[in-house]
Amino acid sequence: MRICLVYDCLYPYTVGGAERWYRQLADELAQQGHEVTYITRRQWAHDHTPTVPGVHVVAVSPASSLYDEDGRRRTLPPVAFALGVLRHLASRRGRYDVVHLCSFPYFPLLATRTALLGSRARVEIDWFELWTKAYWLGYAGPVVGRAGFAVQRLCVRLTPKAFVFSELTAARLRSQRYQGDLVRLSGLHSGGLAAAPSLTPPDPPIVLYAGRHTIEKQVDAVPPALARAREDLPDLRGLILGDGPRRPAVLAAIAELGLTDVVDAPGFAAQDVVEASMKTATCLVLPSMREGYGLVVVEAAAVGTPVVVVAGDDNAAVELVEPGVNGFIAPDRSPESLAAGIVAIHRGGTELRQRCAAWFERRAPELMAHSSAQQIAAGLTGTPRPTA
C-alpha cells in the first residue's frame, strides 16, 4: 500500500517519544513492503539529505523553533507545516491509500482532512492526549484556551480512526462522544530487553530525573524532594538531566537548598548517557502533572529501576505503575510525598528491583513500539497481527 506519515519532527534530527514512534512506524511499514512517504518539517542543513531506508522523506515547511521561552508550542511553525501538508496532499489526492498522522498540533490534521475531502484515502490519527476544557483554560488563558478546546473538539469529530496509548485518552474520546473506530495500543518502547538489568541498588543512593524542564513536567519539585529525602537518607545524591525554560528555577532551588555538592544538573544529555544513568540510579522521579503515556517509566523498568510518579487527572503515566512492583504513585508533588516514594524504593532494595525487572519482562511484548507498529500494519490489510 502507499502510505503517508505526517509529523513535523523526524528522529534522530529531533529527539522525543513521538519522534521515535513515527520513525519506528515508518521502518515497520517499509520493512513489510509498503511504499512509505514521511512528510515533515526541515530539521537538517540545506546541503544534507535525510536517509531513512525504504522511506521517502519530504520536507514541506522550513526549519524553525517549535517552542517558546516557556516551553509551549509556538503557533507559526505548525501553521507553516499545515500549509505545506495541505499543498502536498491536495496535489496528490490519488497518490496515497492511507494517511497516518498525529492529532497534535491540530493544524496539520485540519489541513489533511481538507486536502483529502472526497478522496478515497484512509485517514488514521494517533491521539496521545486529549485535554479537558479546564486544562485548556489553565494552559492558554480564557480566550485562547476556549478556542483551543473548540478546535480540539472539531478534530475529534474529524477523526475516522483513532489510535490511543492510554485508557485516560480512550475514556476522554468516548466522553466527547467519539463514534469512530477506536484502537488501543500499549507499546511505545523502542528498545529491547536489557541484557542485564541492574538489580543491585547503587551505593550511595542516587535519584534521577531525565526529561524536559517545562511547567507541566514539574521538574522544580525534584530539589525540594531530594532535600526532604536526605533527612532519612543523608548520603542520597541527585542527578537532574535535561534542559528547558524551568532550568534556571531548578538551578536556583538546588543552590537555595544547599544541594550544590550532592545534586548534579549538567543540562541536556545524549541518549546513551541517559540510559547509563537510568541503569545506575536508585529510582527515577517523574513529577509530571501531564503525560499522555509515560515512556520513561517503561525505559526505567527495562533496566530494573523503579519510578516515582505523581497522581493527577491528566497523568496517564500512573497506568504504567504497579505500586510496590515497579514503583510508587505519590498522591501529590509535595516534597513529603515524593520523598516518601524515594525512601520506600531505597528500602525496597534488590527485591524491589527484581520485581521491577520481572514486571517489564512479563509485559515487554505489549510495551514495545514494534508491537504497536505491527498492529497498525496488520490493520491496513486485515491480516492477523504477527506474534510478538
Side-chain angles (χ1 to χ4, degrees):
M1 299 186 75
R2 299 167 302 175
I3 302 170
C4 180
L5 301 181
V6 180
Y7 191 58
D8 59 358
C9 296
L10 174 65
Y11 183 86
Y13 302 96
T14 306
V15 179
E19 288 85 343
R20 289 196 291 268
W21 159 243
Y22 286 109
R23 177 61 184 269
Q24 177 83 53
L25 182 57
D27 290 342
E28 180 69 31
L29 293 172
Q31 288 170 15
Q32 292 200 13
H34 296 288
E35 183 181 317
V36 182
T37 300
Y38 194 119
I39 299 178
T40 188
R41 170 183 55 92
R42 180 177 292 278
Q43 298 139 73
W44 48 85
H46 284 276
D47 59 352
H48 174 74
T49 301
T51 301
V52 179
V55 178
H56 180 46
V57 178
V58 180
V60 297
S61 66
S64 57
S65 176
L66 292 181
Y67 297 94
D68 63 19
E69 60 184 12
D70 293 323
R72 293 185 170 91
R73 273 264 193 172
R74 296 174 59 221
T75 301
L76 289 181
V79 169
F81 179 60
L83 291 174
V85 170
L86 180 66
R87 288 191 296 267
H88 181 92
L89 294 179
S91 64
R92 297 165 178 80
R93 287 174 52 80
R95 179 69 180 82
Y96 302 113
D97 301 306
V98 178
V99 178
H100 189 108
L101 66 154
C102 186
S103 63
F104 189 85
Y106 300 127
F107 298 114
L109 190 161
L110 297 172
T112 297
R113 295 297 279 149
T114 300
L116 298 177
L117 187 64
S119 167
R120 294 184 179 181
R122 186 191 313 175
V123 177
E124 303 177 342
I125 299 172
D126 292 330
W127 283 88
F128 287 96
E129 295 183 80
L130 191 69
W131 296 357
T132 63
K133 185 176 183 179
Y135 190 90
W136 267 109
L137 294 176
Y139 181 86
V143 177
V144 177
R146 284 187 174 85
F149 182 69
V151 172
Q152 177 183 266
R153 287 176 64 89
L154 173 61
C155 289
V156 169
R157 284 155 177 73
L158 291 175
T159 300
K161 184 172 186 177
F163 292 97
V164 299
F165 295 86
S166 70
E167 183 53 41
L168 173 64
T169 302
R172 287 185 172 176
L173 276 170
R174 297 188 194 103
S175 71
Q176 294 201 14
R177 300 178 181 177
Y178 176 67
Q179 301 297 317
D181 189 7
L182 179 59
V183 180
R184 169 74 188 276
L185 303 173
S186 56
L188 278 176
H189 181 51
S190 58
L193 283 169
S198 179
L199 302 181
T200 302
D203 185 19
I206 182 168
V207 171
L208 171 69
Y209 171 88
R212 297 185 68 240
H213 292 201
T214 57
I215 294 174
E216 63 272 10
K217 295 292 185 182
Q218 301 190 132
V219 58
D220 52 321
V222 176
L226 291 172
R228 174 62 186 85
R230 279 176 55 82
E231 296 178 14
D232 296 308
L233 306 172
D235 57 346
L236 180 71
R237 302 185 63 86
L239 176 60
I240 301 176
L241 300 178
D243 201 353
R246 298 299 296 167
R247 177 167 163 76
V250 172
L251 296 177
I254 292 171
E256 291 170 4
L257 292 167
L259 300 174
T260 305
D261 294 335
V262 295
V263 177
D264 294 325
F268 176 81
Q271 186 62 27
D272 59 339
V273 174
V274 174
E275 292 173 355
S277 301
M278 199 172 287
K279 190 172 183 178
T280 56
T282 302
C283 69
L284 181 136
V285 174
L286 178 65
S288 179
M289 71 169 74
R290 196 193 88 225
E291 292 288 338
Y293 180 71
L295 178 59
V296 71
V297 174
V298 179
E299 293 173 334
V303 295
T305 300
V307 301
V308 179
V309 299
V310 176
D313 294 339
D314 300 292
N315 189 7
V318 299
E319 297 178 20
L320 295 169
V321 177
E322 190 174 338
V325 176
N326 69 320
F328 291 90
I329 302 174
D332 53 57
R333 57 158 281 173
S334 68
E336 294 75 19
S337 294
L338 292 174
I342 294 169
V343 173
I345 288 176
H346 172 72
R347 291 174 177 168
T350 299
E351 291 185 3
L352 178 57
R353 297 184 77 89
Q354 290 174 334
R355 292 197 296 272
C356 181
W359 176 91
F360 176 79
E361 186 173 5
R362 183 174 67 253
R363 295 193 57 185
E366 67 185 86
L367 294 172
M368 296 297 179
H370 177 64
S371 178
S372 292
Q374 284 184 320
Q375 189 172 347
I376 288 177
L380 294 176
T381 58
T383 56
R385 180 185 177 186
T387 302

